[in-house]
Each structure stands twice: as C-alpha cells, then as structure tokens.
Amino acid sequence: MNTFGQWFRVTTFGESHGPAVGAVVDGVPPGLPLSEADIQPMLDRRRPGGPLASPRKEPDTVEILSGVFKGRTTGTPVALLIRNRDVRSGDYDALREVFRPGHADYTYLQKYGLRDHRGGGRSSGRETAARVAAGAVAAKFLMTHGIGVTGRVVEVHGERDAAAMEEAVRSAAAAGDSVGGIVEVTAASVPTGLGSPVFGKLDAAIAAAMMGIGAVKGVEIGEGFAAARLFGSENNDPMDATGFLSNHAGGVLGGISTGQEIRVRLAVKPTPSIAMPQQTVDLRGDEVEVSIRGRHDPCIAFRLVPVAEAMLALVLADALLEQRALGGKRI
Amino acid sequence: MNTFGQWFRVTTFGESHGPAVGAVVDGVPPGLPLSEADIQPMLDRRRPGGPLASPRKEPDTVEILSGVFKGRTTGTPVALLIRNRDVRSGDYDALREVFRPGHADYTYLQKYGLRDHRGGGRSSGRETAARVAAGAVAAKFLMTHGIGVTGRVVEVHGERDAAAMEEAVRSAAAAGDSVGGIVEVTAASVPTGLGSPVFGKLDAAIAAAMMGIGAVKGVEIGEGFAAARLFGSENNDPMDATGFLSNHAGGVLGGISTGQEIRVRLAVKPTPSIAMPQQTVDLRGDEVEVSIRGRHDPCIAFRLVPVAEAMLALVLADALLEQRALGGKRI
Amino acid sequence: MNTFGQWFRVTTFGESHGPAVGAVVDGVPPGLPLSEADIQPMLDRRRPGGPLASPRKEPDTVEILSGVFKGRTTGTPVALLIRNRDVRSGDYDALREVFRPGHADYTYLQKYGLRDHRGGGRSSGRETAARVAAGAVAAKFLMTHGIGVTGRVVEVHGERDAAAMEEAVRSAAAAGDSVGGIVEVTAASVPTGLGSPVFGKLDAAIAAAMMGIGAVKGVEIGEGFAAARLFGSENNDPMDATGFLSNHAGGVLGGISTGQEIRVRLAVKPTPSIAMPQQTVDLRGDEVEVSIRGRHDPCIAFRLVPVAEAMLALVLADALLEQRALGGKRI
Amino acid sequence: MNTFGQWFRVTTFGESHGPAVGAVVDGVPPGLPLSEADIQPMLDRRRPGGPLASPRKEPDTVEILSGVFKGRTTGTPVALLIRNRDVRSGDYDALREVFRPGHADYTYLQKYGLRDHRGGGRSSGRETAARVAAGAVAAKFLMTHGIGVTGRVVEVHGERDAAAMEEAVRSAAAAGDSVGGIVEVTAASVPTGLGSPVFGKLDAAIAAAMMGIGAVKGVEIGEGFAAARLFGSENNDPMDATGFLSNHAGGVLGGISTGQEIRVRLAVKPTPSIAMPQQTVDLRGDEVEVSIRGRHDPCIAFRLVPVAEAMLALVLADALLEQRALGGKRI
C-alpha cells in the first residue's frame, strides 16, 4: 500500500533512480493558503548539510501541480512533484552482489525476487522527500488551527549534552562506525478529541507513522517505557479546576488527545552502512567481508527530525479532519 | 473506524452494557479447520484469575455464526458472537460524576459529548474479547504455516525475577496503588517477505496494533530503545552461509520480515483505577478527591498477554495473506 | 469484499446453510431512535407471500446485538443478527451434479473450485436478508432528515397494467417458464449536494448498488436509455425562480443530487430456475437436460423491491453522512 | 474520493485551469513493458477531431514519472503527468453568472458554495484525460493476458445506420441543438472467475465505472433492459460440451465473468450546452434566457468511447489482479 491516512490521504510515488518522486494529497479542505514556499523549507531541512551529516547533495525543488487556485486550495487533490537529480548510482555498484548488513537487501530479494541495489529504489531515503512535502502541507493546515509540530534530537549514543552528542558522532565516524539516537517530536495546542477508540486511536496512528520511518526501532508516548516502572499514583495525571496538573500521558489518553502537549519519542538505530569491515554473504551464498564507503550519515537521527515532524503533522491533520467531520455529531 | 487489517480484515462490535460483543473476520482462506474449540482457550486466558488479578468473573463463550461448513472455513466472512454476562454496572455508578484520573473519561466527553461512564462502553476491556477471538482465528491460520505466537510478562515495576514481580504487585495492591510492566511477544518460524515497503511495513503494523491496546504507552522491536545506544558494528546482524548470526533487528528489516524470530515489547502503564485517593474534578468543574474501589487489576500487564498475542497474530495473518497474494508476482 | 459504503459502512456475513446471517453497520450517528421494530417490517416484506411468489417460508427475525442504548444509537457499530431457519437443502440435491442454466454454478466452480450447490451459499438470496436489515437502519436514519424511499414493480414482461402483469406471471408459471420485469425506486425530499465528483458520484454509487442485486442486468436514472433518443432541448431541465421545471435528470446531475426526486429503474431478468426442460452439462461435461422444480418465483422482480429500497437507502445514507461531514467546509 | 479500484488503484488529480492533470496507478505488477507510447494513442483518440466533434484543440502529452525501470514496470506506483495547455477560459466568462441547464453548476454551488464556472474545474472533461491515461496502462496489462477491450457508438438519436447517425448529428448542430446516443463496449477473451460475490461483483463494478462517466444516464449488460421482456427459456444461456451456446448474460453471471465476451451498453444523454435558447436563472435568482455558444460537441457519445474503454479496462485489471491474488486459494 502506498497510501497513508483516512481523511488527509497521501499517496506517494517515485524511486531514487526514476525521473521524479512526489505525492498526491487528497482531502485538504478548500480555502487553505498554499504555495511552494510553504513546502520548500521543510524539504531543505531534510537535505543533509553541516559537519555531522554525509555530503550528499540533493537539491529538491517541489512544484504544486494541482489543487490550488489563486493561492488557495480548492479542496481537490494537491499533487506535488519533486524531480530527481544527482543520481550517482555508481557509488553503489560495488555492492550489487552482496547483502549489506542491516539493510533491506536480503528481505527485498526474498520478497520480490530482485535486490534493487541501486540506491534502494522505493525503500530508500529519497521516497521520504515525498512524505516530507506532504507533511509540510499538513503542517500548514495545522497552523490554521494554531497547532505547531516540533522535533529535535534529544539523545545520541546515550548522551544528552550537545557537545557530548557531537563528539560521539565524530569519534564513531573516525572509527568507521555509526551511532544511534533518540528523536523527540511534540505538538502544542492540540485540541482535545482527536482520534477515535478501538481501531482509530491517535497513539496507534502515531506509532505506525513513526515506526514506518526507516531505521526506527521503537516508539513511546509520554512516559513511555518509563511508565512501566512507575506506580499508578505517580503516573496518573490529576486534575483541578484549571485542567490537568501534569502530563505523563504525553497528550493522549484512551486513544484520544487530551489537549495537552503530545510528546513522542523514537528510537533510531545506528546507520547500517559503515566503513568498518563486516561479515556477510554474497548472492551466491559465499561468505565475504564488506566495507561500505561513500556518503553515509554517521547518525541518521538528525536527518529524521523533519521526517518525524512530517509524519506527526500528517497523523494530526488526519485526526483533525475526522474530528471536524464526525466529532460529537448527534441526531 | 472499527475495522482492522487489509487482507485479514476484522470488524468488531459490541459494548460492555449491550447484549453481546463480537467480530466479523473477512478474508480467512477456505479450507482451514475451525471450530469454537480453537477460540475458547484464548478467551479463557483473557479472563482474569489467579492471585494477581482482580476477581471479575466474565465467562465468555464464543459462537461461530458463519463462514464454516463441515468443520472447515468456506472463505466467506467468519462471524463470532460472545454474549455479555455479569454486567454489574452498579460498581461504577458512584463514579458517574467525576473524571477518573488516567482514564478516557475526560477525552471521551470532549469528543462525544457523553461520558459513557458505565464500564467504559466501547472503550472498555470488554471490546478486547472480540479482538482476542478474532486473533485466535488468525493464530489457527498461522499454525497451518507453522508460525507460532507467544507472549509473556518480562518485567513488573522494573523487576525481572518472578518472585520479585509477584511481591511488587502484592505490595502495590496492599497500598491501594498499582504497577506497570513490560510484555514481550514473539513469533517463531515466520517466513521472510512479510510486509511491504513505504506504508505497508510490518513493523509499522505491529506498532499500531500494540499501541492500540489500552494502557500501552510504548512499543519496540528487537533491540528497540537499546539500539539507540549501540554502535552500528554492534547492532548490525552479520550473515554467513547458514544465515543470520544474530537478531538485533528482532525479525524485521526494512519493514519486511527476515525469517528470524519476531520480537516485540510493549510498555504497559500502571492501572489508573486505584484505591489510593487522587485529586480530580467532577462534571461541574469542582475539585474532588476520588478513591476507586472495586474489582481492578493491580497490574494490567498479565491480562494483556493474550491480547498482545492476538494482535500480533492478526498482523502476521494480514501480512501472510498479502505475501501469498502479491509476493513476487511478475508479468 | 463483503463491505459496502464509505461512511455508512455495512459488512454482511452468513450463508444459507449456516447458523445465521447478519450485518455490522458502522457509522450510524449517535442519538437515532432504533429498535427491532424499525427493521422487522422490511424483512417481512422481503419474505415471499401472495399468489405471485414461490411458497418458501423463511421467517426472519432480527435481533440488535450492539450499538443501541436505551432505545437510541450510541454511534458505535450496530450489529444485526438473523438466525437461519427452514433450511431444506434436500430440494437442491438432485441438482448437485449439473450446472443450472442462468445460475452462477459454472462461474463459481471456475473461481473457487467448489460448486457450493446447497442453496447457493453466499450468493443466494438469503444473504440479501442481511442487506435489507441494514437498509432498514439506513431508512430510519433518512427519515430523520425527511427523506423517504419507495419502490414498486412498474413493468412485467413488457406489461404495465396491473392485471396484465398478473396474467403474464401466471401463464408463465403454468408453462413452467418465468418472466422478467422492471422495478422503479424513488427517493423524495432528498437535499441537494449528495455525492461528490470524480469517483464518489451519487449515480455511480446507485448503479453499483443496484447492479449488485442478483438478477439485475441494467440500471438507469431519470430518462435513462430514453435520454439517448432525446434532443438536448428536450432532455435539459430548465429553471425558473421557483426551481427546476422538469426532472429528466432523475434527481442527479454531475454526480450530485439536485434536490428533486431521485428516480431509478432496474431491469430484472427472468428467473433462471424453470421447470421447462433446458439443455446443460453436468460436472463431467456430459450433456444433460435439466428441469428445475421446487419453490421458485416465476418473476423475481416483486421480491427485489425491498432489496432495491434497502440499497438506495444505504447509498443515500452514505452520501448524506459524507455531506454532513465534509460538505462545503472551507478554511 | 479520488481513488478508484481495490487492486489496480488509480488516484487522479488536476483541474482544467491548473498546471496539470495526472494519475497515480498503484498495483501494476512488476515486469510489464510500459512506455509513453503505450498510453499516448488512447489519449489522442480522446481528443476531439473529425467533422462530428467540436474544434477544441487539446494536445495531451503524457509523461511517466515513476514505476518504470529499463522499460518495464517495477511494481511500484506508476505516476502519469499530463501538462495542461490551451486553457481558454474566456470562452466561459459570459456564463459565470448563470446556471447552465443540464450542467452541474447548480448542484456544485449547493454542495461547495462555489460555482467553479471556469471550465468545470474538477468536474470537467479534462479530468477524464487522467482516467484515460490510467486506463491505457490497464489495457496494456490486460493485453499480456490476451484480453482486448473495444468500444464504439452503436446508436445516435435512435439511428443505427452510420449515415443516419451522421445526419442526425449534423441537423441537430445546425439547429443549435444536440443529440444523445448509445456506446457499446466489449471485452473479448476474458477468463472465467473475475469478480467476487456480494459486494465485489464484476457487473456492479462495471456499472459504477460507466455511470460515473459524465453524461451517462444508464448502463446495461448483455440483454440488459431487453431481458426484462424475455422469458426465462429465452434468456438463459444453455450449455453443451463445448461450452455456452449463447450469451444473453453478456459475459457476467452471478457477478462473476463466464469467459464469454463481456458486453456493456451506456446511455449517453444529449450535450447540455446548446446554442438554442434555454430558460434558466442566474445567481441572484432572476430568470434569464441563455444561449451557449462556443466549442461544444453536438453528440458526446463519440468522445466517450475511449473513456468507456478505459473504465472497462480499469475494472477488468482490478478484477484480474484480485483473481490472480485470491482466486481459489485453499488451505
């Protein structure tokens, strides 16, 4: 399935080696001011840069193909187009015969009968460009309701201090290795009532959206795994006449938003592609040692921040539309 | 939405105060041997019992209404019916005017304009009976492919030793408090190739299924949050001619099953309903102190084990059908 | 797929030879007065009776299993149960080896590898009982908006006069043959704006719903096939200050309701099961002559009237919910 | 909803006044040879030309943006882009204040609060370009299974003879009026077993697809409305050892394809836009007389032929994928 969401529905397309990637966003209400300028910044953030990331240059320029008239959405599907550039598949050719440890090569071959070695095809990071673009549209919509989404890296290789995080990345890169991290995404000023019980729970949707980001191996909301070690008397959020007095729940209770800040954390595994030699097998089953050089992030967590923001925006936009459409409607 | 899954589709119905709960399972392939005896044991496991749980007696008897002929499924929808008994809503009446901390009361009122105090209606644990029944059908189907799903509580209030776990529960109950825990669910002998990239990833589906279980605040796969603190050289799973040499990935890579054991952990928050006095407000906004007595589990984690198994079975059945239907089909 | 509708979603289950048939209706807004008394009459109309129909006695009694509290819907799924009785599969055993002309026997065997001779299994008329029950719930909902749905047979074997229709049926039955007919279903007081362009058009939904009724071979709206023979100047519906001056469109224009009476006609083929000898083959491919005796309607059109009403009610309820939820919502 | 199909899923986007229209086709199996040359001819047929049609020049050039690698589909979504040209909205400005009889102007305003007078926006014929492009991909896929889809106009204003058809169109145009017609679409060499009972019936899907084409007011399969006037002994299709001896059913029985030619007919209403004066009202409710000049087809039926072929191809591709995926799969 290449479609995400029930109300704010996103269908993505495109592979890294093809002409373009893009998305069709179906369900954007009419009247929303929207232009490429609302989307481009989030795409630019996704592009690697700075001393901590790998030097892949991927200028992504988005074009809106439909759904906007005189600067405002018409309520019809908004199609976004991002032409592919800088396709240097040569970087990957030496690897076409082996299964890179930690990558989807092996599973892909098993499922599809083709290894799709060139840049990962549809499973590569290029596809996330489409999701981030769609997320930017969702974020614009959320802003009209005063809802803001923000993400940041809160931990790298166990370190929480900024300088220690940088050092952890640098020393790993120097050793030809990589490190993992934790990304925290929050949404402020969320109205109560988003999400619906049983199978439309907001936290379930958030979990799926985040775990679906490549390299994510865990998702928690509010106290998360720490709640498993608290007493009920510690974890419950009491109320007084002004509202809730704490937010251990992380903004979601019973699958529905409480009106408090939504707080989500993602566990990002260390980059699989490392220069350090690793043991694996090739397509014939012969054991080989592989060392993956080229342009790889020593810590993917930083690059995932805009992706996580985009996914949270998409989930909240979806839930907000559901609430506007169905919330509390009695005969 | 009251429907779960794309291929092995489950629609549940029923509230705790109504005549019955149940499920319609659409997509079960024809020819599967199936009877009530395949479902009843999992339902019985869901029923509380033993010294650690609350004494609610809820005998659930399942009846198969359709989809089976001469002991085998016909490929048509399988409808399951569980009549409600032992509805003692009187236990809850004293609470109808207040928002119980940690429960969905407040969010429900905001969303639907009704507090639905009686046993939680559709958000209560009774609805999970329907899901467990459907999960048992999925588990039966998985067995024909040699796939087994197992769950257990691995931690309670930070304790991993069985005796320490029991003591933690008892002392909390004695204090009128509650504790949280961690449930681990595994699936063995899973074929490679389950799940599809982008928006049909197996780990995303698992995350949604687990986070959607009430009281779950975190989900991780394989090393999970621990992976965020490992080096790439430590977390990658090398391969030799016999296959993978480790399983930090927890059986899922690139959103697709690797063929190794799938390993999932859920963080279960402590039971919100405790006898210890808590500060909250009533429907008029006046501050009150509430003490919730009655039949409540001091640690919900144990009761969630069959629910988590059921949900993993449903996700795997769904992915297995997708793989059987679409996997590797070339022109 | 055993689910119908996007907003007023109906999932049916059950076969003629199983314990029960039924439906889960998901999406009924809360607060609608509903009881078995709202559904039973439509089911009773579906049961054959009177001099023109076949003497199968199928008392269908519906039970509401969920979704109703103190006489009003709660907004949660409404499950309907109809226990099967009077299963006289003996009537069909002589036919188990042959393909009955005009029936789905041959196609079923090709698709599923099983002929499912006993009463047609899921393809038989028994399944429509579930749909009619769901349609009755939809009709109740429509009534709260002042919308009424009515159907009747307008033609039998080319005859439009009531006495001539009866005679056509009788003489066909006497000859061991059958006749076809045309059913017209209308909906009055429909608001404007139901249906949405491109792939959610109201007339497309109506067409699918009606063509999906067994024995229906054609569907038309308004002038229908007669419009193909009119001039634009004749077929257009002019307007004055009071509104439309005619209704050739049949209440739908551009896929959206105009506010005028919706007028649909279905072409019902003659009953395939006739006593008159017919040429066919058996499972081994040998040519045989078959004469189908037993309890069969000489003209199915009469029996389809409540089914057609139910399907139109379901389509309109679906569109009405969409309009209430999304219609005209601007930022 | 802007998505069509379950297995061969098409999401379209684009308005006549925007930069482009297009479609994302999700579900095309991998390995299918595909290039723009497979799609362009069908688009060209859609473009009006010849003495019978209106002189709108709309050169549509399609570009494949994704889903194809080295000339074959990869199994990932195929995105198709058609840039808009020749937007002469000036032709329509004189009409912006009135409701054109027979058009969706009035219903649109009621539903969306905007009349969208410029070329009809999303409801105009331009959107069908996207559907025809997607249909061409479906047709290419069907060809690999030996299935061919063909359409033609069989009747215009009641005339079946070619010369009489031409004369009917010409004299109507000369009088400033328009005529309707009937389009017949057939599919040959269809395998048995396409479509599934209850809510996935092939004839229901065909009916929805065809009735969803603008200007279509009726759909029939096989004998269609003529079957309503036949005896069962006349309408049934007998079988001998070689197979069916006739095809009154039109290739579909019990909602499943029989293997015989699928035969569908659409009733196309006469073009609403005519030069002949018509009575209507303007946005203020004042009665006006309107005469619509410009570039309009005197008979839309001809232009609809490739659209009807495209829709039948999409329905069959969807059913074929379902059959390949699920047909007959027993445990």
Side-chain angles (χ1 to χ4, degrees):
Chain A
M1 273 288 293
N2 291 285
T3 299
F4 180 82
Q6 301 266 359
W7 297 78
F8 200 91
R9 298 172 58 88
V10 177
T11 300
T12 63
F13 62 83
E15 306 80 45
S16 57
H17 53 67
V21 298
V24 178
V25 187
D26 189 6
V28 190
L32 175 72
L34 186 69
S35 74
E36 282 82 353
D38 294 310
I39 304 170
Q40 197 61 52
M42 209 158 174
L43 275 181
D44 292 345
R45 287 177 53 213
R46 191 188 151 273
R47 203 180 60 213
L52 298 178
S54 61
R56 265 186 298 227
K57 296 180 196 31
E58 297 169 28
D60 291 327
T61 307
V62 67
E63 177 190 1
I64 297 176
L65 295 177
S66 66
V68 176
F69 180 52
K70 292 189 175 175
R72 289 184 176 260
T73 54
T74 58
T76 57
V78 175
L80 310 170
L81 179 68
I82 303 169
R83 296 261 174 200
N84 280 336
R85 295 179 168 69
D86 191 21
V87 179
R88 295 175 44 178
S89 57
D91 287 344
Y92 292 94
D93 285 343
L95 301 165
R96 65 183 304 174
E97 297 289 315
V98 306
F99 296 117
R100 297 167 295 167
H103 280 272
D105 304 345
Y106 175 73
T107 53
Y108 242 67
L109 181 70
Q110 293 299 316
K111 186 171 181 77
Y112 295 113
L114 41 98
R115 188 186 170 290
D116 193 23
H117 79 287
R118 300 207 315 158
R122 186 121 179 92
S123 70
S124 84
R126 284 297 296 150
E127 189 278 336
T128 62
R131 269 192 270 175
V132 167
V137 178
K140 185 70 194 259
F141 169 53
L142 292 177
M143 263 176 42
T144 65
H145 286 260
I147 304 170
V149 172
T150 316
R152 62 191 184 107
V153 175
V154 294
E155 191 184 293
V156 171
H157 198 62
E159 302 292 348
R160 301 192 157 219
D161 172 75
M165 289 200 257
E166 277 198 42
E167 180 50 33
V169 174
R170 251 169 249 190
S171 68
D177 209 336
S178 64
V179 286
I182 295 182
V183 173
E184 180 175 278
V185 204
T186 57
S189 311
V190 178
T192 50
L194 304 194
S196 62
V198 186
F199 292 132
K201 290 184 172 178
L202 187 66
D203 48 352
I206 290 172
M210 300 303 173
M211 196 70 94
I213 298 174
V216 173
K217 298 301 291 186
V219 184
E220 59 181 18
I221 294 177
E223 293 298 319
F225 276 86
R229 292 151 192 149
L230 294 176
F231 287 111
S233 56
E234 297 172 320
N235 190 56
N236 282 352
D237 294 314
M239 298 182 77
D240 72 5
T242 68
F244 288 100
L245 297 176
S246 57
N247 187 20
H248 298 112
V252 186
L253 212 49
I256 301 173
S257 63
T258 61
Q260 294 202 281
E261 178 191 76
I262 289 179
R263 194 168 77 253
V264 187
R265 264 186 309 276
L266 294 55
V268 184
K269 76 179 190 184
T271 323
S273 290
I274 54 180
M276 198 176 280
Q278 300 179 83
Q279 177 182 359
T280 187
V281 293
D282 63 15
L283 290 180
R284 285 176 302 279
D286 295 333
E287 294 177 13
V288 299
E289 206 179 65
V290 63
S291 165
I292 300 172
R293 303 185 183 280
R295 314 178 295 172
H296 302 286
D297 290 314
C299 180
I300 321 176
F302 295 92
R303 193 167 193 186
L304 290 193
V305 171
V307 185
E309 292 176 2
M311 295 314 295
L312 183 57
L314 286 172
V315 171
L316 291 177
D318 198 55
L320 187 59
L321 283 182
E322 190 267 348
Q323 174 65 3
R324 280 180 18 145
L326 296 182
K329 276 202 163 62
R330 297 184 63 85
I331 299 280
Chain B
M1 273 290 290
N2 291 285
T3 298
F4 181 82
Q6 301 267 2
W7 298 79
F8 200 90
R9 300 171 56 89
V10 177
T11 300
T12 63
F13 61 84
E15 306 82 43
S16 58
H17 53 67
V21 298
V24 178
V25 187
D26 190 5
V28 190
L32 176 70
L34 187 69
S35 74
E36 283 81 353
D38 294 310
I39 305 170
Q40 197 61 52
M42 209 156 173
L43 276 181
D44 292 344
R45 289 178 51 213
R46 194 188 148 271
R47 203 180 59 214
L52 298 177
S54 61
R56 267 186 294 227
K57 295 178 194 32
E58 295 168 29
D60 289 327
T61 306
V62 67
E63 178 190 0
I64 297 176
L65 296 177
S66 65
V68 176
F69 180 53
K70 293 189 175 176
R72 287 183 178 262
T73 53
T74 57
T76 57
V78 175
L80 309 171
L81 179 68
I82 303 169
R83 296 264 174 197
N84 281 335
R85 293 176 170 71
D86 190 22
V87 179
R88 296 176 43 180
S89 57
D91 288 343
Y92 293 94
D93 285 344
L95 302 166
R96 66 184 302 176
E97 295 292 315
V98 307
F99 295 117
R100 297 167 294 166
H103 280 274
D105 304 346
Y106 176 73
T107 53
Y108 241 67
L109 181 71
Q110 292 300 314
K111 185 172 183 75
Y112 294 113
L114 42 99
R115 187 187 170 290
D116 192 24
H117 79 287
R118 302 208 312 157
R122 187 124 177 90
S123 70
S124 83
R126 284 295 298 148
E127 189 276 337
T128 63
R131 269 193 269 175
V132 168
V137 178
K140 185 72 194 257
F141 169 52
L142 291 177
M143 263 177 39
T144 65
H145 287 262
I147 304 170
V149 172
T150 315
R152 62 189 183 109
V153 174
V154 293
E155 191 182 294
V156 170
H157 198 61
E159 303 291 348
R160 300 193 158 218
D161 171 77
M165 288 200 258
E166 277 197 43
E167 179 52 31
V169 175
R170 253 169 246 187
S171 68
D177 209 337
S178 64
V179 286
I182 295 181
V183 173
E184 181 175 278
V185 204
T186 58
S189 309
V190 178
T192 50
L194 304 194
S196 61
V198 186
F199 292 132
K201 290 183 172 179
L202 188 66
D203 46 355
I206 291 172
M210 299 304 172
M211 196 70 95
I213 298 173
V216 174
K217 298 302 291 186
V219 184
E220 60 181 15
I221 293 177
E223 293 299 317
F225 277 85
R229 293 152 192 149
L230 294 176
F231 286 111
S233 57
E234 297 172 319
N235 189 56
N236 282 352
D237 295 313
M239 299 182 77
D240 73 4
T242 67
F244 288 100
L245 298 176
S246 57
N247 187 19
H248 299 111
V252 186
L253 212 49
I256 301 173
S257 63
T258 62
Q260 293 203 279
E261 178 188 77
I262 289 179
R263 196 168 76 252
V264 187
R265 263 185 308 274
L266 293 55
V268 184
K269 75 180 190 185
T271 323
S273 290
I274 54 181
M276 200 176 279
Q278 300 180 83
Q279 178 183 356
T280 188
V281 293
D282 64 15
L283 290 180
R284 286 175 300 281
D286 295 334
E287 296 178 12
V288 299
E289 205 179 66
V290 63
S291 166
I292 299 172
R293 302 186 181 280
R295 314 177 295 173
H296 300 287
D297 289 314
C299 180
I300 321 176
F302 295 93
R303 193 167 193 187
L304 290 194
V305 171
V307 185
E309 293 177 359
M311 295 314 295
L312 183 57
L314 285 172
V315 170
L316 291 177
D318 199 54
L320 186 60
L321 283 182
E322 190 266 348
Q323 174 65 3
R324 281 180 18 146
L326 296 182
K329 278 204 163 60
R330 297 184 62 85
I331 300 278
Chain C
M1 273 288 294
N2 291 284
T3 299
F4 180 82
Q6 302 266 359
W7 299 77
F8 200 91
R9 300 173 58 88
V10 177
T11 299
T12 63
F13 62 85
E15 306 82 44
S16 57
H17 54 68
V21 298
V24 178
V25 187
D26 189 5
V28 190
L32 176 72
L34 186 69
S35 74
E36 283 82 352
D38 294 309
I39 306 171
Q40 197 60 52
M42 208 157 174
L43 275 182
D44 292 344
R45 287 177 53 213
R46 190 189 151 273
R47 201 180 60 212
L52 297 177
S54 62
R56 265 184 297 226
K57 296 183 195 29
E58 295 169 29
D60 289 327
T61 307
V62 66
E63 177 190 1
I64 297 177
L65 296 177
S66 65
V68 176
F69 180 51
K70 293 188 175 176
R72 287 183 178 264
T73 53
T74 57
T76 57
V78 175
L80 309 171
L81 179 68
I82 303 169
R83 297 261 175 200
N84 281 335
R85 294 178 169 72
D86 190 22
V87 179
R88 294 176 47 178
S89 57
D91 288 343
Y92 292 94
D93 285 344
L95 301 165
R96 65 183 303 176
E97 297 289 315
V98 306
F99 296 116
R100 297 167 294 167
H103 280 274
D105 304 345
Y106 175 72
T107 54
Y108 242 67
L109 181 71
Q110 292 299 313
K111 186 171 182 75
Y112 295 113
L114 40 99
R115 189 187 169 289
D116 192 24
H117 78 287
R118 300 205 316 156
R122 187 124 178 88
S123 70
S124 83
R126 285 295 297 149
E127 188 275 339
T128 62
R131 270 192 270 173
V132 168
V137 177
K140 185 72 195 258
F141 169 54
L142 291 177
M143 263 176 42
T144 66
H145 287 261
I147 304 169
V149 172
T150 316
R152 64 188 182 108
V153 174
V154 293
E155 192 183 293
V156 170
H157 198 63
E159 303 291 347
R160 303 192 156 216
D161 172 75
M165 288 200 258
E166 276 198 43
E167 179 50 33
V169 175
R170 251 170 246 184
S171 68
D177 210 335
S178 63
V179 285
I182 296 181
V183 173
E184 181 175 277
V185 204
T186 57
S189 311
V190 178
T192 50
L194 304 194
S196 62
V198 185
F199 291 131
K201 289 184 174 180
L202 187 66
D203 47 355
I206 290 172
M210 299 304 172
M211 196 70 94
I213 299 173
V216 173
K217 298 301 291 186
V219 183
E220 60 182 16
I221 294 176
E223 291 298 318
F225 277 86
R229 291 151 193 151
L230 293 176
F231 287 111
S233 57
E234 295 173 319
N235 190 55
N236 282 351
D237 294 315
M239 298 183 77
D240 71 6
T242 69
F244 288 101
L245 297 175
S246 57
N247 186 21
H248 299 111
V252 185
L253 211 49
I256 302 173
S257 62
T258 62
Q260 294 203 281
E261 178 191 76
I262 290 179
R263 196 168 75 252
V264 187
R265 263 185 310 274
L266 293 55
V268 183
K269 73 179 190 183
T271 324
S273 290
I274 54 180
M276 199 176 279
Q278 300 180 83
Q279 178 182 358
T280 187
V281 294
D282 64 15
L283 291 180
R284 285 175 302 277
D286 296 332
E287 295 177 11
V288 298
E289 204 178 65
V290 62
S291 165
I292 301 171
R293 302 185 181 279
R295 315 177 295 171
H296 302 284
D297 290 313
C299 179
I300 321 177
F302 295 92
R303 195 167 192 187
L304 289 194
V305 171
V307 185
E309 292 176 1
M311 295 313 295
L312 184 57
L314 286 172
V315 170
L316 291 177
D318 199 55
L320 186 60
L321 283 181
E322 190 268 348
Q323 174 65 2
R324 279 177 21 142
L326 296 182
K329 280 204 162 59
R330 297 185 62 86
I331 301 280
Chain D
M1 274 287 293
N2 292 284
T3 299
F4 180 82
Q6 302 265 0
W7 298 78
F8 200 90
R9 299 171 58 89
V10 177
T11 299
T12 63
F13 61 84
E15 305 83 44
S16 58
H17 52 67
V21 298
V24 178
V25 187
D26 190 5
V28 190
L32 175 70
L34 187 69
S35 74
E36 283 82 353
D38 294 310
I39 304 170
Q40 196 61 53
M42 209 158 173
L43 276 180
D44 291 345
R45 287 178 53 213
R46 193 187 149 273
R47 201 180 61 214
L52 296 177
S54 60
R56 264 186 295 226
K57 297 181 195 31
E58 294 169 28
D60 290 326
T61 307
V62 66
E63 178 190 0
I64 297 177
L65 295 176
S66 66
V68 176
F69 180 53
K70 292 189 176 176
R72 286 184 178 262
T73 53
T74 57
T76 58
V78 175
L80 309 170
L81 179 68
I82 302 170
R83 297 266 173 194
N84 280 336
R85 294 176 170 70
D86 190 21
V87 179
R88 294 176 46 178
S89 57
D91 287 343
Y92 293 95
D93 286 343
L95 302 166
R96 64 183 304 175
E97 298 290 314
V98 307
F99 296 117
R100 296 167 294 168
H103 280 273
D105 305 344
Y106 176 73
T107 53
Y108 243 66
L109 181 71
Q110 292 299 315
K111 186 171 183 77
Y112 295 113
L114 42 98
R115 187 189 171 288
D116 191 26
H117 78 288
R118 300 207 315 156
R122 187 124 178 91
S123 70
S124 83
R126 283 296 297 150
E127 189 275 338
T128 62
R131 269 192 271 175
V132 167
V137 178
K140 186 72 195 256
F141 169 53
L142 292 177
M143 263 175 41
T144 66
H145 287 261
I147 304 169
V149 171
T150 316
R152 63 191 183 106
V153 174
V154 293
E155 191 183 294
V156 170
H157 198 64
E159 303 291 348
R160 303 193 154 216
D161 171 76
M165 287 201 258
E166 277 197 43
E167 179 50 32
V169 174
R170 251 169 246 186
S171 69
D177 209 338
S178 64
V179 286
I182 296 182
V183 173
E184 183 176 276
V185 204
T186 58
S189 310
V190 178
T192 50
L194 305 193
S196 61
V198 185
F199 292 131
K201 290 183 173 179
L202 187 66
D203 45 356
I206 291 172
M210 299 304 172
M211 197 69 94
I213 299 174
V216 173
K217 298 302 291 187
V219 183
E220 60 181 17
I221 294 177
E223 292 298 318
F225 277 86
R229 292 151 192 149
L230 294 176
F231 287 110
S233 57
E234 296 172 318
N235 190 55
N236 282 353
D237 295 313
M239 299 183 76
D240 73 3
T242 68
F244 289 99
L245 298 175
S246 57
N247 187 19
H248 299 111
V252 186
L253 210 50
I256 302 174
S257 62
T258 61
Q260 295 203 279
E261 179 190 75
I262 288 178
R263 195 167 78 250
V264 187
R265 263 184 310 275
L266 293 55
V268 183
K269 75 180 191 185
T271 323
S273 291
I274 53 182
M276 200 177 279
Q278 300 180 83
Q279 178 183 0
T280 187
V281 292
D282 63 14
L283 291 181
R284 286 175 301 279
D286 296 333
E287 295 178 10
V288 299
E289 206 178 65
V290 63
S291 166
I292 301 171
R293 302 185 182 282
R295 313 177 295 171
H296 301 287
D297 289 314
C299 180
I300 321 176
F302 294 94
R303 193 166 193 185
L304 290 194
V305 171
V307 184
E309 292 177 0
M311 295 314 295
L312 184 57
L314 286 172
V315 170
L316 291 177
D318 198 55
L320 187 59
L321 283 182
E322 190 267 347
Q323 173 66 3
R324 281 179 19 143
L326 297 182
K329 279 203 160 59
R330 298 185 62 84
I331 299 281

